[in-house]
Amino acid sequence: MTTVKVKFSSPSDVSNFVNRVSKFDTDIDIKRGHAVLDGKSLEGLFALEMNRELDCVIHDDMCNIPELMEAIKEFTVSDFYKI
């Protein structure tokens, strides 16, 4: 499991994020406080406030992590992520 901070500035950011992560065969959650949303759910992520740091939790065995991190790098708050 890998966690990285992400932030969406506009509805188009959310749409682009969902389009990119949907190409990967792994579960992705977006956490805000105690709420956990499916990171591939456009409707769920549109319900979030914009310009707020969120935890993106990637449930993967490390096979897709480098490619996925590259795909979402414009939404990440920093390059730091933890496993």
Side-chain angles (χ1 to χ4, degrees), residues 33-73:
H34 295 294
V36 179
L37 301 168
D38 181 355
K40 295 181 180 181
S41 169
L42 195 57
E43 294 84 12
L45 297 185
F46 272 140
L48 297 171
E49 294 177 45
M50 297 291 125
N51 294 313
R52 195 165 219 194
E53 287 187 18
L54 306 163
D55 289 325
C56 175
V57 181
I58 304 162
H59 303 277
D60 193 90
D61 61 1
M62 295 302 296
C63 294
N64 293 318
I65 296 297
E67 294 88 4
L68 201 148
M69 292 301 294
E70 181 65 26
I72 66 169
K73 71 179 178 182

Side-chain angles (χ1 to χ4, degrees), residues 69-80:
M69 292 301 294
E70 181 65 26
I72 66 169
K73 71 179 178 182
E74 75 179 84
F75 309 108
T76 58
V77 177
S78 70
D79 291 335
F80 175 78

Side-chain angles (χ1 to χ4, degrees), residues 5-35:
K5 296 277 187 190
V6 295
K7 183 167 37 170
F8 307 117
S9 301
S10 68
S12 65
D13 280 354
V14 173
S15 180
N16 288 334
F17 178 86
V18 170
N19 286 336
R20 291 177 190 187
V21 299
S22 292
K23 296 175 183 175
F24 293 89
D25 186 28
T26 188
D27 290 329
I28 297 173
D29 293 324
I30 300 294
K31 293 176 63 176
R32 182 177 151 247
H34 295 294

